[in-house]
Amino acid sequence: MDLARKVRLACAEGMSQREAARYFNISRDSVSKMMAFSTPPGYRRTAPVKRPKLNGYTEIIDTWLAGDREVHRKQRHTAKRVFERLRDEHGFTGGYTIMKDHIRERERRVREMFVPLAHPPGHAQADFSEAVVIIDGVEQKAHFFFMELPHSDACFVRAYPAATAEAWVDGHIHAFAFFGKVPASVLYDNDRCLVAKILPDGTRQRATLFSGFLSHYLFRDHYGRPGKGNDKGNVEGLVGYSRRNLMVPVPRFTTWEAFNTYLEEQCRRRQADVRRGKSETIGERLARDLAAMTELPAAPFDACDQATGRVSSQALVRYKTNDYSVPVAYGHREVWIRGYVDAVVIGCGGEIIA
């Protein structure tokens, strides 16, 4: 999925399909398939590359390189010197390339990253948080999706009953529709709805639904350091602002839709404000953000979890621990299931049955 997203993004930025095939070292048929589908079928690597020849030697290499921090920079191990010592002192029989690849990956893991405080237009930060609300007379915990454009401080806020992967994606779709454009990049934390796993080299293995969403809208995703909320300080500030200004007193609405309509109105009103230290309104600076952002795709992404099931003898379909009733005429048949933020749709063939 990541390769497909990179190929689609490169072609969207002007690279031809022939050039993409040559650059990514894949066939032109594969490029055509990736451009035709947001989530193209095909083989994906499921595990990191294995280097059995290095087994037992990586600890030695890491010890040498860790010790290099205490010596003068001009007397530290080069990859060539590490290879020679492994071969001469420890009987290493592997190749130079696999040893050098390990050193490169190790250096990437330990290298510190910084997020700049000067924000160019066209980029965004996103987060989820919680607050207590009253919906239809019932006090409950609401989960809020936040997106802020740090250059202009323009924002979007939307509430959900739960912070699910579908809510994350649905929040993005509504935010993009609110701004009318797609940011060039979005900065996130490492929420499990977005990142399935952080690999040893720091690479993020994206969740399936979120990866398909990225491929559809073709923007860059960046991630802060685990446990370092200050890496995306602008949207963290928006969370605090929203709690103080939009959640006090405790919001009371008849429906979630009415509540979200109110939140959207407040986001629009905020665009007339002039932030401290700025001479222009948020709306005036937003114009520069929008000029640097890309157009929306022809159709929005279908923000749903996809699954399959079978109708039981009692005309029930099981989906995520819940049973859903369908017409008895579909008993014992295979069905498809789409789980949205606020609904579950069940179909058989090309027909929706529940």
Side-chain angles (χ1 to χ4, degrees):
M1 177 63 73
D2 278 349
L3 176 59
R5 180 182 60 82
K6 291 176 181 178
V7 171
R8 286 169 55 82
L9 184 60
C11 291
E13 292 176 345
M15 184 179 291
S16 69
Q17 292 191 20
R18 182 188 295 271
E19 185 180 359
R22 183 168 55 253
Y23 180 83
F24 292 101
N25 195 26
I26 56 178
S27 70
R28 277 184 281 169
D29 288 342
S30 295
V31 174
S32 298
K33 186 182 295 184
M34 291 174 183
M35 295 303 296
F37 301 95
S38 293
T39 310
Y43 171 80
R44 290 184 295 170
R45 185 182 294 279
T46 58
V49 176
K50 295 182 179 180
R51 302 185 178 97
K53 285 282 190 177
L54 274 179
N55 289 345
Y57 296 98
T58 55
E59 295 81 6
I60 298 173
I61 297 172
D62 292 345
T63 300
W64 289 345
L65 297 181
D68 279 351
R69 297 181 181 180
E70 309 298 326
V71 301
H72 192 278
R73 57 185 295 271
K74 293 186 177 181
Q75 291 182 265
R76 295 175 183 174
H77 285 82
T78 63
K80 179 175 179 293
R81 182 58 182 148
V82 170
F83 176 73
E84 291 172 346
R85 288 193 62 187
L86 285 178
R87 181 192 59 197
D88 299 338
E89 300 175 18
H90 297 276
F92 178 63
T93 59
Y96 174 78
T97 302
I98 60 171
M99 183 276 308
K100 187 174 182 180
D101 288 343
H102 171 75
I103 293 178
R104 183 184 295 113
E105 291 173 3
R106 182 187 182 279
E107 290 177 347
R108 189 182 302 124
R109 289 198 302 272
V110 301
R111 187 179 302 162
E112 189 173 10
M113 301 295 294
F114 301 91
V115 177
L117 295 179
H119 302 285
H123 301 271
Q125 298 178 6
D127 200 5
F128 246 89
S129 190
E130 304 172 348
V132 174
V133 300
I134 299 174
I135 303 294
D136 197 21
V138 179
E139 183 177 294
Q140 55 192 290
K141 182 184 292 184
H143 300 260
F144 294 87
F145 171 82
F146 296 91
M147 178 172 284
E148 173 155 313
L149 308 180
H151 177 78
S152 64
D153 296 308
C155 67
F156 177 80
V157 183
R158 188 170 179 84
Y160 294 93
T164 61
E166 294 80 15
W168 265 102
V169 173
D170 186 77
H172 280 80
I173 293 171
H174 280 87
F176 294 167
F178 175 79
F179 293 121
K181 291 286 190 73
V182 178
S185 72
V186 182
L187 176 63
Y188 304 97
D189 57 18
N190 296 279
D191 192 281
R192 290 185 178 180
C193 293
L194 310 179
V195 179
K197 185 179 181 181
I198 302 179
L199 301 179
D201 64 354
T203 301
R204 270 63 173 182
Q205 181 178 315
R206 298 164 184 83
T208 302
L209 179 63
F210 187 60
S211 188
F213 165 76
L214 290 174
S215 181
H216 186 82
Y217 284 94
L218 297 176
F219 64 90
R220 302 256 180 205
D221 56 324
H222 302 296
Y223 300 89
R225 295 168 293 176
K228 300 290 185 180
N230 57 307
D231 283 349
K232 49 183 181 58
N234 288 73
V235 73
E236 295 286 354
L238 173 62
V239 172
Y241 169 87
S242 299
R243 283 176 175 164
R244 294 187 300 271
N245 294 274
L246 306 182
M247 317 298 173
V248 179
V250 175
R252 186 185 298 267
F253 290 87
T254 56
T255 64
W256 288 99
E257 194 57 39
F259 185 25
N260 283 321
T261 299
Y262 163 77
L263 292 175
E264 186 170 324
E265 291 173 353
Q266 299 307 306
C267 292
R268 293 192 187 280
R269 288 183 56 186
R270 188 171 181 261
Q271 293 180 12
D273 295 347
V274 177
R275 299 294 304 277
R276 182 175 61 184
K278 306 292 183 180
S279 59
E280 300 173 295
T281 66
I282 292 175
E284 290 170 339
R285 288 183 285 130
L286 175 60
R288 291 193 292 273
D289 265 324
L290 295 178
M293 293 161 69
T294 59
E295 298 295 334
L296 291 166
F301 184 73
D302 195 20
C304 67
D305 177 47
Q306 302 184 21
T308 58
R310 179 185 291 272
V311 181
S312 71
S313 60
Q314 297 175 318
L316 298 175
V317 176
R318 172 61 62 95
Y319 174 68
K320 290 187 175 180
T321 73
N322 293 318
D323 290 321
Y324 296 89
S325 178
V326 300
V328 295
Y330 295 92
H332 305 287
R333 296 179 64 178
E334 297 288 337
V335 295
W336 51 262
I337 307 166
R338 301 291 184 268
Y340 294 88
V341 171
D342 54 359
V344 174
V345 178
I346 301 174
C348 184
E351 182 181 3
I352 296 177
I353 62 175

